[in-house]
């Protein structure tokens, strides 16, 4: 509950962020399972969480009384802008930008300030999208702004305005399937709209001390596509995963509105789901779904200086896409008596495993065998496949496996020595197969993935290729140092060339938390020049163990 008067101050806004992070983490999987628009890639909850976490990181630790609500909102908008993930993350970042611009200079916010800020957020988000569609988070946000505006016309009470906004958002969310055909066909409400409602309900709790007890109808029986549904029609390209192969995101610096307008027109020609949002100065965050990722990046280069380039390939996740489109449950213990437990590090990497239906055990260093054993025993499954991903020693595999097999549960550790191998393994997981056949196929996929990593040397050491000094850039093939360079990009280029000497068709990069901006972009350009036949996929893994982890299949 608010400590000072009837308005949100900087400390209360920080508490809202912390509560939002906790709640999105709890409901991330639920949001992901609803995600069918604009593409059914099952990552809306993960992207919202990652974006809000980036906003919180920009703000730093606890907020003291010296920071006004306007200053806190500005920091959140900056952090979300830089760390935005996916279409939903871009929209959240732009919404926060609208709020920050509306309440700039204010020490606290009352009901009428809140209503104006929410209206500004809705207007800013709509303006950022080339083709905003009804029945999406944009619709839910506009409904929330209208609800707050009606309440603010009667009273300055923040509690009343926030409650009215959340209630209006809930009402709008439940009717999104009536507005968007793809939602009706899948029998779900809009995933981004649910994420927004969750954040609004968290604000209600901060303001009033109690979160609304909602019983929303989030799923229903899918509506058959008979061709005569009484729902609005949309361009099929807006939500046909087969029509666009890539999600491309980057930040453009040093540009201007005229060049950004040209960029938007070019991206509209290349693909759909185009969103371009500003940071309030000379930076823009760009998002597009398209078939030609290279052309989208070239268009951005013409508009200004690019950084934080991220490319996601939708076609690599065709099996999961089909599950989302049909609203069928993922392969899980409830369906097959089999579970997959993956050990991972970094919010982005954890989100990738979670999105594929695995239960994730978080690791920063080697995993305590007792924690691993507890995690296995907590799964309601008769068969458990474990992806150790390099976090468990051979001795611990033997010890934990022996203890976990108790006559009622079979446990198999698959030979995955890195997270990129674990992802390749999980991509071929099929709960419909016999357990031994599934484990064999997953093990083969892991074995077929050559992997490496980039790190900074922390001490003087003798390696197979010479002596490294603290601060040197190291390239490792598997566990062995094969490259020592003074420059990190040079180390990455040399490592890629060595690993690709045996061939390959797909390179996957997991970008670590400490990686410098532009690292993946520069390595991708090298691959485009030297190996144009390769497909390259970049994920923001967020792991602290490696600056970059790469796999070649």
């Amino acid at each position: 509950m608010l400590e000072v008067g009837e308005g949100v101050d900087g400390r209360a806004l920080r508490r809202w962020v912390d509560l939002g992070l906790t709640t999105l983490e709890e409901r991330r999987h639920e949001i992901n399972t609803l995600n069918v628009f604009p593409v059914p890639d099952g990552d809306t909850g993960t992207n919202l969480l990652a974006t809000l976490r980036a906003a919180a990181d920009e703000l730093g630790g606890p907020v003291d009384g010296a920071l006004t609500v306007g200053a806190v909102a500005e920091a959140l908008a900056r952090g979300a802008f830089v760390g935005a993930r996916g279409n939903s993350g871009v929209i959240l970042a732009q919404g926060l930008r609208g709020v920050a611009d509306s309440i700039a200079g204010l020490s606290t916010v009352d009901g009428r300030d809140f209503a104006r800020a929410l209206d500004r957020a809705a207007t800013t988000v709509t303006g950022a999208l080339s083709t905003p569609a009804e029945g999406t988070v944009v619709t839910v946000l506009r409904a929330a702004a209208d609800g707050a505006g009606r309440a603010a016309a009667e009273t300055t009470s923040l509690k009343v305005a926030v409650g009215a906004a959340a209630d209006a958002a809930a009402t709008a969310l439940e009717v999104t399937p009536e507005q968007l055909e793809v939602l009706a066909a899948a029998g779900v409400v809009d995933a981004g709209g649910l994420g927004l409602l969750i954040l609004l309900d968290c604000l209600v709790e901060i303001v009033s001390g109690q979160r609304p007890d909602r019983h929303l109808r989030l799923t229903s029986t899918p509506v058959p596509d008979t061709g005569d549904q009484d729902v609005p029609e949309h361009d099929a390209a807006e939500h046909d995963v087969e029509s666009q192969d890539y999600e491309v995101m980057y930040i453009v610096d040093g540009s201007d509105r005229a060049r950004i307008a040209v960029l938007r027109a070019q991206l509209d020609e290349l693909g759909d789901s185009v969103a371009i949002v500003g940071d309030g100065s000379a930076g823009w965050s760009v998002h597009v779904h398209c078939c030609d990722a290279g052309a989208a990046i070239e268009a951005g280069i013409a508009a200004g200086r690019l950084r934080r380039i991220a490319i996601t390939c939708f076609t690599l996740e065709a099996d999961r896409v089909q599950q989302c489109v049909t609203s069928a449950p993922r392969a899980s213990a409830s369906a097959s008596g089999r579970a997959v437990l993956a050990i991972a590090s970094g919010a982005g990497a954890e989100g990738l495993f979670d999105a594929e239906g695995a239960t994730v055990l978080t690791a920063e260093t080697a995993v305590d065998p007792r924690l691993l054993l507890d995690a296995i025993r907590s799964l309601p499954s008769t068969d458990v496949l474990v992806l150790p991903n390099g976090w468990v020693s051979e001795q611990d595999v033997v010890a934990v496996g022996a203890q976990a097999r108790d006559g009622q549960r079979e446990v198999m550790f698959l030979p995955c020595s890195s997270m990129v191998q674990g992802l390749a393994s999980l991509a071929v997981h099929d709960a419909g197969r016999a357990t031994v056949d599934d484990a064999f196929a997953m093990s083969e996929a892991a074995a077929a993935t050559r992997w490496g990593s980039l790190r900074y040397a922390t001490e003087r050491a003798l390696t197979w290729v010479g002596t490294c000094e603290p601060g040197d850039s190291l390239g490792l093939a598997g566990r062995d140092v094969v490259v020592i360079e003074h420059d990190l990009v040079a180390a990455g280029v040399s490592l890629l060339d060595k690993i690709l000497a045996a061939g390959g068709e797909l390179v996957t990069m997991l970008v670590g938390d400490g990686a410098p901006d532009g690292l993946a972009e520069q390595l991708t350009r090298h691959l485009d020049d030297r190996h144009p036949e390769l497909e390259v996929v970049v994920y923001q893994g967020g792991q602290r163990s490696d600056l970059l982890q790469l796999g070649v299949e």
Side-chain angles (χ1 to χ4, degrees), residues 218-236:
L218 302 180
T219 61
S220 61
T221 302
V223 177
D225 184 8
T226 61
D228 56 358
Q229 292 172 224
D230 187 19
V231 293
E233 293 184 357
H234 297 273
D235 185 346

Side-chain angles (χ1 to χ4, degrees), residues 45-124:
T46 300
N47 290 341
L48 286 172
L49 177 61
T51 303
L52 189 60
R53 185 174 287 136
D57 289 344
E58 176 71 18
L59 190 56
V63 172
D64 60 31
L67 277 179
T68 65
V69 68
V72 172
E74 176 61 31
L76 293 175
R78 286 198 309 269
F81 170 82
V82 174
R85 283 266 302 276
N87 196 58
S88 54
V90 169
I91 290 173
L92 174 59
Q94 192 67 344
L96 290 173
R97 168 49 55 197
V99 169
D101 290 346
S102 177
I103 65 175
L106 297 183
S107 298
T108 61
V109 169
D110 64 14
R112 289 177 181 170
D113 296 326
F114 172 74
R116 284 192 291 268
L118 213 53
D119 181 73
R120 179 72 171 269
T123 301
T124 305

Side-chain angles (χ1 to χ4, degrees), residues 157-180:
S157 169
L158 180 64
K159 178 179 177 180
V160 172
V162 171
D167 289 344
T171 300
L173 176 65
E174 287 198 291
V175 299
T176 53
E178 300 173 17
Q179 300 170 301
L180 195 54

